[in-house]
Amino acid sequence: MKNEQHHTECFFQRDRGWHPPALTPLYKTSVARSPRRAPVSFPHTLSEVTGPVFGHSILGALDNDLTVNFATPGESAIGPRIIVYGRVLDENARPVPNVLVEFWQANAGGRYRHRKDGYLAPLDPNFGGCGRTISDSEGHYFFRTIVPGAYPWPNGINDWRPAHIHFSIFGHGFVQRLITQMYFEGDPMIWRCPIVSTIPDRQAVEGLIAALDMEAAVPMDARAYRFDIVLRGRRSTLFENRMEGN
Amino acid sequence: MAQSVRRLKETASQTAGPYVHIGLTPNFGGIAGVYPHDLGSGPVDAKARGERITIKMRIFDGTGTVLRDALVETWQADTDGLYNSPSETRGKADPNFQGWGRFPSDMETGEIAIETIKPGRVPFPDGRLMAPHISLWIVARGINLGLATRLYFSDEEMANAEDPVLTRLEHQNRVETLIARKESAHYLFDIHLQGERETVFFDI
């Protein structure tokens, strides 16, 4: 059946007025790291529409639980316990199944386990800060972690990042590759951040803010935040192979 | 007003930041014991068919300073020009060659060493063959949306001269920014994010 085949058609053009532009001077590092010439377009070839596949065999049992995957057995990370869950969809609102989702973050005090992070907030001996999972057949994913803290960074003299979790997502084509950051509903730091404000459209920023979902919380254990991720949609030949539409 | 087509908008990109290693190459970044090894970091499978090559890459900013906190992902065909992907419809790629790799800049020197095999030729949509190339995706602190480019090879002059992507560049004097230079045992490839020698990046 044609419906069962993997699509090979090209992806929708990326809306570069929706994504942050390369040069965003309020985020100072972008000034010397942004191309000055226009990017060049060409029609998608197999090099763009194909992409790597990751099987469940790469996953360890604790890969999607940051509260324990670096902890001494019997202990866990310090901080407000949460579940982050959502779906990976494409622009046609179809689930994107079986794709690798990776995430990393600071600990509850805003300190990263990285030798270049010299912030005076202490490391948590039971928190590493990395995790990964693979979306299921309906595009669902989830992981457990603790709420990361805000932290200062050398941009302006008093700039602080809002609490955030970095996300890296694969699609089915290499040009769907995306890295972004998830923020938390109600955080007043979001609207003061020079990295958030690289995004020109307020609605696009709101698409990065996870919603508190108390119905998905586990009582006496963890609250939940919902964060859906949308990857580029893929064209299909109208009416030919997908009766339910594009 | 017309009816709405009701498509979703793609999730907006954000920089990978300076601590991208924590998530994507934790062992390289000093976080041991969570994953057995970093994804995409291993040597090419010894059983993979094709010519073994080494590429030494560096990435420079607009002041000529080498980036020491970048991360590059590579995606390429096997030695016969087939991709190891379910979207590959022309045949089955070498099962011992994944075609994808992930390479952080050395934190001191900025050097990125890529050991792989030389890819075969892949067709453009109109059937013309493209020259052997590796697709690159670059993220780092200060880069808001991952940068896409391609690496071609200096010892493929004939194929490069007829490559449908290289020949469509309006500014032909920029083609050389996409060509890795063969030097005895390896290829050298410098990426310039900005300035006079700025690498061609793609909006694809």
Side-chain angles (χ1 to χ4, degrees):
Chain A
M1 279 296 290
K2 237 182 166 179
N3 273 344
E4 304 300 317
Q5 286 180 356
H6 267 263
H7 280 217
T8 53
E9 289 84 2
C10 65
F11 291 94
F12 298 154
Q13 177 171 309
R14 200 162 235 166
D15 181 350
R16 287 184 168 244
W18 176 261
H19 286 286
L23 175 60
T24 49
L26 295 181
Y27 174 26
K28 294 180 181 178
T29 313
S30 77
V31 174
R33 294 185 172 196
S34 46
R36 286 293 175 273
R37 292 173 173 82
V40 175
S41 292
F42 60 84
H44 285 173
T45 74
L46 281 156
S47 305
E48 285 72 44
V49 304
T50 56
V53 171
F54 302 93
H56 284 82
S57 61
I58 66 165
L59 298 181
L62 304 179
D63 281 7
N64 70 339
D65 192 342
L66 283 68
T67 67
V68 292
N69 71 5
F70 189 79
T72 301
E75 299 184 15
S76 69
I78 291 170
R81 296 163 59 82
I82 54 170
I83 293 163
V84 177
Y85 80 97
R87 290 182 90 185
V88 186
L89 303 167
D90 71 12
E91 290 169 298
N92 294 313
R94 295 176 182 286
V96 185
N98 308 318
V99 291
L100 180 65
V101 182
E102 297 162 286
F103 17 85
W104 68 100
Q105 63 171 86
N107 70 21
R111 174 75 184 271
Y112 281 98
R113 187 170 288 278
H114 193 284
R115 65 175 162 142
K116 298 247 173 101
D117 187 358
Y119 183 32
L120 47 75
L123 286 168
D124 175 346
N126 289 311
F127 188 73
C130 61
R132 61 188 179 185
T133 186
I134 290 177
S135 64
D136 72 10
S137 60
E138 299 283 294
H140 297 283
Y141 77 91
F142 79 93
F143 60 97
R144 279 177 173 269
T145 187
I146 48 98
V147 178
Y151 62 84
W153 59 301
N155 188 63
I157 56 168
N158 191 25
D159 280 333
W160 291 68
R161 296 303 322 282
H164 64 275
I165 299 176
H166 296 264
F167 274 70
S168 165
I169 311 105
F170 286 82
H172 295 156
F174 197 52
V175 292
Q176 286 178 298
R177 196 78 182 80
L178 183 70
I179 279 184
T180 189
Q181 300 182 27
M182 181 200 108
Y183 304 100
F184 291 83
E185 179 180 357
D187 184 345
M189 300 306 292
I190 294 171
W191 304 102
R192 298 167 179 261
C193 174
I195 288 179
V196 172
S197 69
T198 61
I199 299 172
D201 189 303
R202 187 180 173 97
Q203 264 187 294
V205 172
E206 285 167 352
L208 301 187
I209 303 175
L212 176 67
D213 181 2
M214 288 307 294
E215 305 310 326
V218 180
M220 307 304 286
D221 179 351
R223 288 175 300 155
Y225 281 88
R226 180 180 179 112
F227 184 59
D228 286 348
I229 297 155
V230 181
L231 301 180
R232 293 170 73 175
R234 180 167 248 181
R235 270 216 296 270
S236 58
T237 312
L238 274 173
F239 309 119
E240 184 191 323
N241 51 3
R242 287 190 176 258
M243 291 308 289
E244 68 271 39
N246 281 264
Chain B
M1 288 287 280
Q3 295 183 10
S4 167
V5 295
R6 285 195 298 270
R7 286 213 168 83
L8 302 178
K9 293 294 286 184
E10 188 186 9
T11 298
S13 175
Q14 291 270 263
T15 180
Y19 309 128
V20 61
H21 313 103
I22 295 174
L24 303 191
T25 57
N27 292 290
F28 173 83
I31 298 177
V34 181
Y35 307 148
H37 59 84
D38 292 334
L39 272 189
S41 68
V44 176
D45 190 324
K47 288 179 286 188
R49 291 181 290 108
E51 179 195 345
R52 254 70 185 165
I53 58 171
T54 301
I55 299 159
K56 293 188 175 175
M57 192 185 296
R58 289 176 303 171
I59 303 174
F60 295 91
D61 72 12
T63 74
T65 305
V66 71
L67 271 63
R68 295 177 298 168
D69 54 8
L71 182 100
V72 177
E73 288 186 1
T74 60
W75 176 239
Q76 64 167 99
D78 70 8
T79 187
D80 296 323
L82 293 170
Y83 282 102
N84 195 338
S85 162
S87 301
E88 173 59 82
T89 53
R90 297 165 301 152
K92 194 164 165 33
D94 181 351
N96 296 312
F97 184 64
Q98 190 191 14
W100 173 81
R102 179 180 270 172
F103 304 93
S105 306
D106 184 279
M107 288 192 209
E108 307 302 327
T109 66
E111 189 167 280
I112 297 165
I114 298 173
E115 288 184 33
T116 183
I117 58 145
K118 196 150 175 206
R121 298 180 73 173
V122 175
F124 201 63
D126 63 10
R128 285 182 292 161
L129 286 178
M130 295 189 280
H133 65 274
I134 298 176
S135 298
L136 305 177
W137 185 71
I138 302 160
V139 294
R141 174 173 67 100
I143 295 176
N144 290 325
L145 175 65
L147 294 168
T149 187
R150 283 184 173 188
L151 178 155
Y152 289 84
F153 300 91
S154 65
D155 53 349
E156 295 285 346
E157 256 180 83
M158 302 267 281
N160 291 341
E162 61 181 24
D163 181 83
V165 172
L166 295 180
T167 53
R168 74 187 275 131
L169 295 181
E170 180 186 354
H171 301 108
Q172 279 295 303
N173 61 346
R174 301 188 66 205
V175 167
E176 63 179 320
T177 69
L178 299 178
I179 298 184
R181 212 169 61 246
K182 180 144 198 194
E183 305 249 319
S184 56
H186 51 258
Y187 293 91
L188 290 178
F189 191 59
D190 284 347
I191 288 174
H192 295 270
L193 298 179
Q194 183 192 103
E196 244 169 73
R197 289 180 289 171
E198 189 171 304
T199 300
V200 173
F201 296 104
F202 295 118
D203 173 15
I204 42 174

